[in-house]
Amino acid sequence: MFFFFHTTCVEMAAANYLPSEDQFLCSICLDVFTDPVSTPCGHNFCKNCIDEHWNTTDQYLCPMCKKVFNTRPELNVNTFISEMVSQFRQSANCSSSSSSELKVSKPGEVPCDVCTGTKMRALKSCLVCLASYCETHLEPHLTASSLKRHQLIDPVENLEGRMCTKHDKPLELFCKIDQTCVCMLCTVLDHKTHEVVPLKEGYEVKKAELGKTETEIQQMIQKRQQKIQEIKHSVSISKGDSDRELAKGVRIFTSLKESVEKGLAKLIETIKTKQKTTEKQAEILIEELEQEISELMKRRTEMEHLSQSEDHLHLLQSVQSLNIHHPPPTKDWTEVSVSLSLYEGTVRRAMSQLEETLSKEMKKLVKAELKRVQQYEVDVTLDPDTANPYLILSNDGKRARPGKVEKSLPDNPERFSFSPCVLGRQSFSSGRFYYEVQVKGKTDWDLGVARESINRKEDITLSIEDGYWTIWLRNGNKYSALDDPSVYLSLQSRPQKVGVFVDYEEGLVSFYDVGAAALIYSFTGCSFTEKLYPYFGPCTIDGGKNSAPLIISPVRGN
């Protein structure tokens, strides 16, 4: 007897000191661990939960303490915790099987409607009886033949809400027309012409719709998460570009500042040196003049004293020695003057040197800029459906030259009827793009981009207002940017190949002399709202002087 009592007490003590369920819950799925693993920071998760979590994020961090791991940790099942979980499951199962009938209803759980006094937790709710039952009071519904036909569901509250408020009958059907639950009387009264189906069928349809909608929402979430990653990646790239551009700008402006300071110091030194030279020359001349003045004043003093003498003999003898008819030897100062330094060109020459330094830096910048925009090269081909009938296009869509004879072509809406020009096949409504066109040998040409809605059936005017961002050459030497107003372009050299770069979002269209690596012109602050097409104007043949073609050529080195 003592042995039995002792054993029972020990078992009860062990049961009382079993770890709680909270100690074995995964913080991701909120369920008891399955294949528990431990992260390097010491937190535990289900292996599948942490794997799926890391598969959907761009960082390997602990969901508990947010510690970030540089590389994905290799996780193995923690055998100690796994055994503890196994023992806990066994103990919990034994505990639940021995005391399931004694579980008291807790807040948030559905209580048994039959229990008096202490309410036990309900196991099922009956849609016919409109009551919920614990394990003990559910027994009749499981054994009595008349009650077995009742529909049992997992315990729910507010069973009155499952009754038709109009007919006080169970809501057993679903009206597909009104999308509402109805009772049997509703189908013969208010809904007799409507299509009704059993609740289960309506449930299955709605469940499928919910599943489909849930899948669509999940896809929308994934797309937006992906877009977030794209935006973050773009910001990261932009940050790198801005840092590099800032460093370059600081370097260039620091260099220019140093050049300006050196130029200023040299200018000051040059002017001061010239002034010192002038002052030195003046000092020498003044010293010489003062010496002569001193000699002359000495002779004059002697003469004054002699002229006041009353001694006839002394005066005559002294005059003879003073040699009054021959003054002291002096220099002829008539043509002597200080040589003034010429300062007028000093500042100009200093500025010229600074301008040369700035020009060299600008050439370096434009060369680097051209190399950078060439990375956005696109493959452009000419669209024959837009070509004016006087133009001759190559079979590969890369050349357009003016012809003498008008071809018989369909007058489709896209074609330029009067102006000798053609568009590219490719259109652009976002991002950046770049292409190069050889203009060698031509005396007249137009190049640029045009919006989709331009007028193609009249003699066009190349202007921003009419949807064109272009530059042109006329008479072999007159270059202009057709901005508002037009800008005459004074180019150092005649371009043989022109690069066209567009940044749609930035509102930028730039033209480059590829051979000289020089910027020709940029349209800035443009507002693009339509598709843009590359625009090519070979112009007329002009008696054979302008017969050379415009050639879309690949970027050199690509």
Side-chain angles (χ1 to χ4, degrees), residues 436-496:
E436 293 181 353
V437 184
Q438 181 177 308
V439 295
K440 182 179 180 181
K442 295 193 68 61
T443 58
D444 300 274
W445 51 258
D446 314 324
L447 283 177
V449 292
R451 67 186 179 211
E452 186 176 29
S453 62
I454 53 173
N455 182 7
R456 311 181 191 199
K457 296 305 177 184
E458 298 175 4
D459 191 12
I460 65 173
T461 301
L462 296 179
S463 66
I464 294 177
E465 183 180 358
D466 291 322
Y468 297 88
W469 292 265
T470 57
I471 62 172
W472 73 14
L473 167 67
R474 290 294 183 267
N475 302 322
N477 59 3
K478 294 180 180 179
Y479 296 90
S480 296
L482 306 180
D483 207 331
D484 186 18
S486 294
V487 179
Y488 174 74
L489 303 175
S490 178
L491 306 183
Q492 296 293 327
S493 59
R494 184 175 176 179
Q496 302 298 301

Side-chain angles (χ1 to χ4, degrees), residues 82-227:
S82 182
E83 290 176 3
M84 292 286 289
V85 170
S86 179
Q87 292 178 11
F88 171 80
R89 288 182 187 275
Q90 292 176 1
S91 301
N93 289 337
C94 293
S95 176
S96 63
S97 63
S98 62
S99 59
S100 61
E101 71 275 13
L102 300 176
K103 289 186 176 177
V104 178
S105 174
K106 298 178 181 178
E109 295 179 338
V110 179
C112 176
D113 292 324
V114 181
C115 289
T116 58
T118 302
K119 293 284 187 178
M120 296 294 109
R121 187 178 70 184
L123 293 184
K124 293 291 181 180
S125 294
C126 177
L127 294 180
V128 178
C129 302
L130 296 180
S132 299
Y133 304 100
C134 66
E135 185 174 2
T136 301
H137 295 116
L138 183 63
E139 186 67 22
H141 278 77
L142 302 177
T143 56
S145 58
S146 59
L147 298 177
K148 283 184 177 180
R149 292 191 296 271
H150 289 193
Q151 185 178 357
L152 298 176
I153 61 172
D154 288 334
V156 294
E157 294 181 321
N158 189 26
L159 286 169
E160 292 79 6
R162 296 175 175 269
M163 298 292 289
C164 177
T165 56
K166 191 172 184 179
H167 305 112
D168 199 26
K169 296 292 182 183
L171 298 173
E172 302 177 278
L173 301 168
F174 179 74
C175 177
K176 298 177 70 175
I177 303 299
D178 293 338
Q179 292 289 297
T180 185
C181 296
V182 297
C183 69
M184 291 296 295
L185 282 178
C186 290
T187 62
V188 296
L189 296 174
D190 302 333
H191 299 262
K192 66 178 180 178
T193 60
H194 295 180
E195 182 182 359
V196 294
V197 295
L199 281 181
K200 184 176 182 181
E201 183 177 335
Y203 162 82
E204 295 295 340
V205 171
K206 288 299 178 184
K207 187 176 182 180
E209 291 177 357
L210 285 173
K212 182 180 178 182
T213 303
E214 183 182 358
T215 301
E216 292 174 351
I217 291 175
Q218 182 60 30
Q219 291 174 349
M220 292 171 66
I221 291 172
Q222 291 175 350
K223 286 181 179 179
R224 280 150 182 77
Q225 289 175 337
Q226 184 179 357
K227 182 57 68 175

Side-chain angles (χ1 to χ4, degrees), residues 539-550:
C539 298
T540 59
I541 199 167
D542 193 19
K545 291 187 293 184
N546 192 41
S547 59
L550 290 176

Side-chain angles (χ1 to χ4, degrees), residues 23-26 31-36 44-46 81 85 89:
Q23 294 175 275
F24 297 102
L25 292 183
C26 171
D31 203 349
V32 178
F33 288 128
T34 301
D35 296 331
N44 304 309
F45 308 91
C46 298
I81 297 178
V85 170
R89 288 182 187 275

Side-chain angles (χ1 to χ4, degrees), residues 219-267:
Q219 291 174 349
M220 292 171 66
I221 291 172
Q222 291 175 350
K223 286 181 179 179
R224 280 150 182 77
Q225 289 175 337
Q226 184 179 357
K227 182 57 68 175
I228 288 174
Q229 296 306 317
E230 290 177 4
I231 293 172
K232 287 182 177 179
H233 182 62
S234 298
V235 170
S236 177
I237 293 175
S238 177
K239 180 65 167 58
D241 290 344
S242 68
D243 288 344
R244 284 190 293 272
E245 200 67 16
L246 182 60
K248 184 197 299 181
V250 170
R251 177 183 60 80
I252 291 172
F253 275 89
T254 301
S255 176
L256 288 175
K257 180 183 176 184
E258 291 174 355
S259 297
V260 170
E261 290 173 347
K262 288 180 181 178
L264 177 60
K266 187 176 180 180
L267 174 65

